[in-house]
Amino acid sequence: GAVVSQHPSWVICKSGTSVKIECRSLDFQATTMFWYRQFPKQSLMLMATSNEGSKATYEQGVEKDKFLINHASLTLSTLTVTSAHPEDSSFYICSAPIQDHNEQFFGPGTRLTVL
Amino acid sequence: GENVEQHPSTLSVQEGDSAVIKCTYSDSASNYFPWYKQELGKRPQLIIDIRSNVGEKKDQRIAVTLNKTAKHFSLHITETQPEDSAVYFCAAIPAFSGGYNKLIFGAGTRLAVHP
């Protein structure tokens, strides 16, 4: 199956700093990638749809100026959590579908802890 | 937009028993319904999926049924084993999601299989 990687797998940062998370499709091209956030014992909540070469589409209630998304190539999308605060601590997961297929392939996730 | 509800939130069974998890969706035009298994700290793993033109699908001990009229679909696990213990999520892709195949997840079911 298709492989999606994320980096870093975990990160600890101080409040007020920015953190960048990378999502890569390793063996296929992804014009679209999705970013999810998962709090402990909760479901995956879609944050935004990352589109190669154009602006991301954010879900209602997600601050686009706080969660910056850049999809600069067909294999890489980045999520930057700006001015992170403890309430941003969560498990961030990306996914990518193969074109014209419903199935999505998930990255291994990034656990962010903001002190 | 699409709303997916999942029940029960927790399920405890004895090894060898069957487990059933049910989901309902709101968008009658939704056309793809995957089920994911997620172990603690790991990415969701697709275990089975069903499309709207099919009523039932089986893969060894796992089966999914879809009732389009009632807008609900269910996951059936037979002969449960301790390694089936995990959180299971249903999801749906609304027919009209801007062409992006966005997954909308249910709240999850924590399954515990006791030896």
Side-chain angles (χ1 to χ4, degrees):
Chain A
V3 179
V4 175
S5 70
Q6 270 183 252
H7 178 81
S9 55
W10 59 270
V11 57
I12 301 173
C13 70
K14 292 182 178 180
S15 187
T17 60
S18 294
V19 174
K20 181 186 285 188
I21 303 170
E22 294 184 348
C23 177
R24 292 181 187 274
S25 56
L26 299 186
D27 51 1
F28 67 102
Q29 293 182 334
T31 56
T32 301
M33 291 183 175
F34 300 98
W35 286 97
Y36 296 86
R37 180 168 52 183
Q38 187 177 32
F39 292 110
K41 297 187 177 182
Q42 293 189 23
S43 187
L44 287 83
M45 296 301 296
L46 180 65
M47 299 176 65
T49 303
S50 175
N51 308 301
E52 188 270 333
S54 64
K55 291 183 178 180
T57 305
Y58 291 82
E59 295 299 305
Q60 194 170 7
V62 178
E63 301 174 57
K64 60 181 181 181
D65 294 330
K66 180 169 181 63
F67 300 99
L68 301 180
I69 291 173
N70 185 14
H71 196 143
S73 77
L74 288 171
T75 59
L76 173 63
S77 174
T78 60
L79 168 68
T80 302
V81 184
T82 62
S83 186
H85 291 284
E87 56 266 30
D88 298 322
S89 299
S90 188
F91 193 49
Y92 291 86
I93 310 177
C94 68
S95 74
I98 293 179
Q99 194 168 1
D100 299 330
H101 285 72
N102 290 131
E103 184 177 355
Q104 291 190 23
F105 299 91
F106 285 86
T110 297
R111 182 154 309 278
L112 170 64
T113 301
V114 185
L115 302 177
Chain B
E2 175 67 284
N3 182 48
V4 179
E5 295 192 357
Q6 183 171 347
H7 300 279
S9 57
T10 60
L11 181 58
S12 183
V13 300
Q14 289 296 124
E15 182 177 2
D17 288 349
S18 295
V20 180
I21 303 171
K22 298 181 179 181
C23 288
T24 60
Y25 59 97
S26 60
D27 184 351
S28 58
S30 291
N31 54 21
Y32 175 68
F33 308 92
W35 284 90
Y36 292 89
K37 175 184 181 182
Q38 188 181 31
E39 297 176 343
L40 188 62
K42 301 285 184 66
R43 76 185 86 191
Q45 297 277 6
L46 179 70
I47 56 171
I48 198 167
D49 57 11
I50 192 167
R51 301 182 193 283
S52 59
N53 58 348
V54 176
E56 183 176 1
K57 183 177 178 181
K58 290 186 72 174
D59 183 3
Q60 299 182 352
R61 296 187 297 111
I62 295 172
V64 56
T65 58
L66 171 64
N67 183 327
K68 287 178 60 179
T69 303
K71 292 189 286 185
H72 67 70
F73 56 113
S74 301
L75 176 71
H76 304 253
I77 306 174
T78 58
E79 300 172 33
T80 55
Q81 301 166 3
E83 49 266 39
D84 294 330
S85 298
V87 180
Y88 290 81
F89 292 99
C90 63
I93 288 184
F96 301 105
S97 57
Y100 293 129
N101 286 347
K102 296 194 294 188
L103 277 174
I104 307 300
F105 283 87
T109 296
R110 188 171 300 275
L111 174 64
V113 181
H114 301 285

